[in-house]
Amino acid sequence: MKNLKIFVVSDSVGETGEQVVKAAVSQFRPDFDNTIIRRFPHIENNDHIEKIVEIAKVQDAIIVFTLVEEKKRQLLIDYCHQQNVSYIDLLGPIIELFEEKLEQKALEEAGIVHKLDEDYFKKIEAVEFAVKYDDGRDPRGLLLADVVLIGVSRTSKTPLSQYLAHKRYKVANVPLVPEINPPEELFLVNPKKCFGLVISPEKLNIIRKERLIALGLSDDASYAKKSRIEQEIANFYKIVEQIGCTVIDVTNKAVEETANDIIEKIEQNK
């Protein structure tokens, strides 16, 4: 069986080129017998391109490349012609077709697909974190979080946690109740990443009454009474004073507004 050598040359990791090569080779050699696929990733230097072509010439290898920059593609093609090395340009033709169709030049920025993939997985990780450490379920998450939210019930801690998670921030939140001491971990958190959410007693009274009615309960329960709400808010201020964290009034704010305030503070403190 004849030997087959393929050099996969890329200005990114070369995964796309390698997968295409493997798909093609499998049509001839499902077990990849007598086949060598060698990857040359992150090629930026023109000298590297020349050396790869020279090696391919000596080893009788085919060059398959995924280079997004037009000058580098053309340089590699020129070298291949000079050395009589067989090559396949995987990205060039489709990029040129898209440029013609869209009437605009390509960005020519390597690795964009992988950056998008990485960004996506960061978002998923942050969302899973927010779910795991929601509502004070596991205090250990407080020390792992990028942002810690504290506040009395119905101050939008959970929706705010999810919104920030979609912005790639790992968020944990803790409800504050006068009868229950906050977890010890809360007082070990960097105050700069901790945010107390407060709301006017009048607004909270309305929200809690609506919540009770939605649950099919009477709206005159202690949970919605002004005296109870004032007690909870007094306890809230006592705790945030101990922590020394920023307090944000969410009374008439949309979740997006509060999130933007938090992000601005976090970025300033970096």
Side-chain angles (χ1 to χ4, degrees), residues 203-245:
K203 181 71 172 180
L204 188 54
N205 174 250
I206 294 169
I207 291 172
R208 288 190 174 182
K209 281 185 175 182
E210 290 175 350
R211 176 63 175 165
L212 288 169
I213 292 169
L215 293 172
L217 303 172
S218 171
D219 66 357
D220 63 352
S222 172
Y223 174 72
K225 286 184 177 177
K226 286 187 178 180
S227 58
R228 172 63 185 183
I229 289 171
E230 288 170 356
Q231 181 190 6
E232 289 187 31
I233 291 177
N235 178 65
F236 163 83
Y237 277 114
K238 178 183 174 183
I239 292 169
V240 297
E241 188 175 345
Q242 285 180 260
I243 298 169
C245 65

Side-chain angles (χ1 to χ4, degrees), residues 6 30 54 56 63 74 76 80 112 115 128 130 182 198 211 213 227 235 241 260 262 269:
I6 305 107
E54 289 174 356
I63 293 180
Q74 191 55 56
L76 193 150
C80 285
I112 292 178
K115 288 178 185 176
E128 290 176 346
V198 72
R211 176 63 175 165
I213 292 169
S227 58
N235 178 65
E241 188 175 345
N260 289 336
I262 290 172
N269 292 330

Side-chain angles (χ1 to χ4, degrees), residues 11-57:
D11 43 21
S12 183
V13 295
E15 184 180 356
T16 301
E18 185 174 358
Q19 290 301 316
V20 172
V21 166
K22 285 181 176 179
V25 171
S26 66
Q27 295 299 310
F28 301 88
R29 300 174 178 182
D31 298 324
F32 291 87
D33 294 335
N34 292 72
T35 301
I36 296 173
I37 300 172
R38 185 177 174 188
R39 199 192 293 190
F40 294 83
H42 304 295
I43 298 300
E44 297 177 355
N45 193 305
N46 292 345
D47 291 339
H48 292 167
I49 293 175
E50 185 176 7
K51 284 182 172 58
I52 291 167
V53 175
E54 289 174 356
I55 296 168
K57 171 71 173 178

Side-chain angles (χ1 to χ4, degrees), residues 88-101:
I88 300 170
D89 179 3
L90 289 181
L91 283 184
I94 193 168
I95 287 176
E96 290 168 7
L97 179 61
F98 285 178
E99 285 180 334
E100 183 181 343
K101 184 71 175 177

Side-chain angles (χ1 to χ4, degrees), residues 132-165:
K132 183 176 181 179
Y133 298 111
D134 182 46
D135 211 27
R137 285 178 195 158
D138 186 347
R140 292 173 298 180
L142 297 173
L143 301 177
L144 303 172
D146 300 318
V147 178
V148 173
L149 305 176
I150 58 174
V152 302
S153 174
R154 312 312 294 175
T155 47
S156 301
K157 293 185 298 300
T158 296
L160 185 54
S161 295
Q162 285 296 323
Y163 185 92
L164 287 168

Side-chain angles (χ1 to χ4, degrees), residues 244-259:
C245 65
T246 299
V247 175
I248 299 176
D249 190 334
V250 298
T251 301
N252 292 307
K253 276 188 173 181
V255 167
E256 295 84 353
E257 290 180 83
T258 307

